[in-house]
Every structure is written in C-alpha cells, then in structure tokens.
Amino acid sequence: AQSVTQLDSHVSVSEGTPVLLRCNYSSSYSPSLFWYVQHPNKGLQLLLKYTSAATLVKGINGFEAEFKKSETSFHLTKPSAHMSDAAEYFCVVSEGNGGATNKLIFGTGTLLAVQP
Amino acid sequence: EPEVTQTPSHQVTQMGQEVILRCVPISNHLYFYWYRQILGQKVEFLVSFYNNEISEKSEIFDDRFSVERPDGSNFTLKIRSTKLEDSAMYFCASRRTGGQAYEQYFGPGTRLTVT
C-alpha cells in the first residue's frame, strides 16, 4: 500500500524567507505525487503534481517540489514566503494503476504560519 | 474556470436521521469521489464512482452510506441513520478520463454536524 509521511505538523516562517515543507512517500511502483493546499474554511486546491516526467515540478504561486527517488522524498519549497501562503498543506499520493479508482492517500498535513 | 460545487455548505442533523450531500462535478469529468475529514484529522477516501457504479469503497463506507448519480450533473452521498462520528467535512472530487496522473478537483466541502 502507498502512503505519505509529512514530517512537520507545524512550520512557522517569517515573510520573505524560504519555505520548506517535508514529505516522504512509500510506494511499490512509480507514484503520482501531489501537493494540495487548504486555506481556512476553503476547499482543497492543487498546487502541483509529479507524474514521472521532470523531477523538479513547478506549481502555482511560486511553489515547487523535487521528486527524489533515492530519498523517497517530495519536499515542497518556495523561495520567499508571503502572508497569503498561510494555510494547511497536504502531500498526497495517488494509489492505483490508471484504473477506475486512483484514490488519493493524504498525509496528515502541515500547517504553515507566516509571521510579518 | 470550471469547478466542483457542493451543497449545502453546512448541514446540521440529529442522530439517526438521513442526510444527502450534493455535488456537481466538472462537466466533462467521468470519475467521481467522496472524501471526508474529521476535525483535526487527515483527509480520508470514502468511495470512487465510475460508469454508474462504485469502483472502490473504504471500510468507512458501510451499508449506511450510498452514492448516486441521479442525472447527468449531480453526484450525491446519502448517509442513513447518522451517528455522532459521522460529523466531518465531506469533500466531493472529480477527474477526467485517462491514467493515474490526472489530478482530482475538489469542491469546497460540506460540513456535516450530527447532534
């Protein structure tokens, strides 16, 4: 079974400083990995996805993530945090082989706080 | 940009009652999902639906739960005999055809409170 582990439940950064949210995955075959963001009282929005193409994936709002097979990691980064980045971030793996299911397996989430 | 919509945004019901949560997926999507998130916990898969039938369900999706696509646009989750532990945020998601890589688009959620 596939799974993801988010190593930090809370991360706090100052505005303008880099963001690093860590995620490790476990998968028996080549995974599809995603980062979703959830702002307070909002739904889940896709930030970026890895689908076995380029290992460095760029997403919306300046976020990017690098797939490292040797480390089974898919960490999310941003060079400079903005106040609007404060939200909960979920690392997600897609389970399935292209069939009808492809359910998403969510990590426990990392709450990002951005201090002025 | 097309989006998944859900109604109501908040539903309060008494234990033992039936509730129906409604979703309108993106129009050209063919795979549909329900997930839930109990307060303070992670998002959990409930059920996937394709070609008018359930393709997979989790252990949470017991016989009190059912899904239906009653027409060409709506996708509903019905919970009978609700329990206190059903209180959660319920998210609907959809994706288009294709392989594993196609992301799921989520609705804003319905907060269900069972009292």
Side-chain angles (χ1 to χ4, degrees):
Chain A
Q2 304 193 71
S3 65
V4 288
T5 301
Q6 292 185 245
L7 300 169
D8 307 292
S9 58
H10 291 81
V11 170
S12 182
V13 301
S14 297
E15 191 175 19
T17 64
V19 176
L20 170 64
L21 305 184
R22 299 182 294 165
C23 173
N24 286 102
Y25 70 91
S26 171
S27 175
S28 54
Y29 49 89
S30 184
S32 287
L33 293 160
F34 308 83
W35 277 96
Y36 280 83
V37 61
Q38 185 179 28
H39 290 275
N41 300 314
K42 299 287 187 183
L44 294 155
Q45 181 185 19
L46 179 70
L47 272 181
L48 49 80
K49 65 181 180 183
Y50 166 76
T51 58
S52 74
T55 56
L56 182 62
V57 181
K58 294 188 184 299
I60 61 172
N61 300 333
F63 284 94
E64 61 182 39
E66 186 171 8
F67 175 75
K68 291 186 177 180
K69 186 175 182 179
S70 61
E71 299 176 10
T72 61
S73 69
F74 189 58
H75 300 335
L76 181 70
T77 60
K78 182 173 180 178
S80 176
H82 192 273
M83 296 296 290
S84 61
D85 294 328
E88 187 151 26
Y89 292 79
F90 294 95
C91 183
V92 180
V93 63
S94 175
E95 181 171 290
N97 57 1
T101 301
N102 287 124
K103 65 185 180 187
L104 299 182
I105 309 297
F106 281 74
T108 50
T110 298
L111 190 61
L112 175 66
V114 182
Q115 309 299 327
Chain B
E1 184 175 326
E3 58 184 21
V4 177
T5 60
Q6 290 184 243
T7 55
S9 58
H10 192 186
Q11 174 86 49
V12 181
T13 191
Q14 288 190 325
M15 191 169 51
Q17 297 298 303
E18 174 183 289
V19 294
I20 297 177
L21 310 184
R22 302 181 191 281
C23 169
V24 179
I26 294 173
S27 62
N28 63 346
H29 287 190
L30 297 179
Y31 296 82
F32 312 112
Y33 305 83
W34 283 100
Y35 294 82
R36 80 171 186 188
Q37 183 181 30
I38 294 173
L39 189 63
Q41 298 185 23
K42 64 179 179 180
V43 178
E44 303 171 288
F45 167 78
L46 289 178
V47 66
S48 58
F49 190 86
Y50 170 72
N51 200 26
N52 284 320
E53 62 182 21
I54 291 174
S55 49
E56 184 176 350
K57 58 184 180 181
S58 72
E59 59 195 24
I60 302 168
F61 196 89
D62 62 31
D63 56 8
R64 299 180 300 113
F65 290 78
S66 61
V67 289
E68 191 179 32
R69 190 153 162 82
D71 52 43
S73 59
N74 289 283
F75 179 52
T76 62
L77 174 68
K78 182 188 292 185
I79 311 174
R80 294 183 294 104
S81 303
T82 50
K83 301 178 180 180
L84 294 176
E85 53 263 41
D86 295 330
S87 295
M89 180 73 88
Y90 288 81
F91 292 105
C92 172
S94 69
R95 72 174 177 93
R96 56 190 174 105
T97 58
Q100 185 179 350
Y102 289 112
E103 63 268 25
Q104 295 179 22
Y105 292 82
F106 283 80
T110 293
R111 181 165 298 284
L112 175 64
T113 302
V114 182
T115 62

